[in-house]
Every structure is written in structure tokens, then in C-alpha cells.
Amino acid sequence: MTLKNETTIEGFFRENPYDIGRRKNWEQTMGKNPWLWFMPVPTTQGNGLVYPTNLDLEDTGTSIV
């Protein structure tokens, strides 16, 4: 689920606008520094309210609902 950047509910939809690639999805959750990925330190990015989206999916006008 982390690599696809989705929740269990989003798994029912065909396309997920928050899937920005496996590596970027992982870095968004675990941080950019691989040495800290499995350490109990806060490494997440952003403010928790706004997330990057897959711009290619948005440009096509595809809706996830």
C-alpha cells in the first residue's frame, strides 16, 4: 500500500491520483534518507493536509469517484 500510495478504500478505484511512483511514494512516507528509513525518527514530508498528485492523471480529467 505504501508503494502505491493508497488506503484500503482507494484500492477499489482503478486509478489513484496520489500514486506518484514507487520511489517517491516510499520517500513521502519514510523520508528521503535511506539510513533513517527503519529508525524511529520522524522523517515524513509535508504538513499532512496537502499531498502531491500524479499530474499526468489530473491532465486527462480522470476522476477517481
Side-chain angles (χ1 to χ4, degrees):
M1 290 174 66
T2 299
L3 296 178
K4 291 184 177 181
N5 212 7
E6 68 183 13
T7 64
T8 53
I9 294 174
E10 291 166 339
F12 292 110
F13 300 111
R14 291 182 184 202
E15 297 173 344
N16 180 5
Y18 300 104
D19 184 4
I20 55 175
R22 298 181 112 188
R23 176 72 181 208
K24 288 184 181 180
N25 290 341
W26 183 265
E27 287 178 351
Q28 188 177 13
T29 304
M30 303 300 284
K32 290 190 178 205
N33 187 346
W35 292 99
L36 299 177
W37 283 352
F38 301 102
M39 302 291 287
V41 295
T43 58
T44 56
Q45 303 169 2
N47 61 7
L49 298 174
V50 179
Y51 300 96
T53 59
N54 180 343
L55 297 177
D56 296 332
L57 187 60
E58 286 182 0
D59 290 342
T60 62
T62 306
S63 174
I64 63 168
V65 204

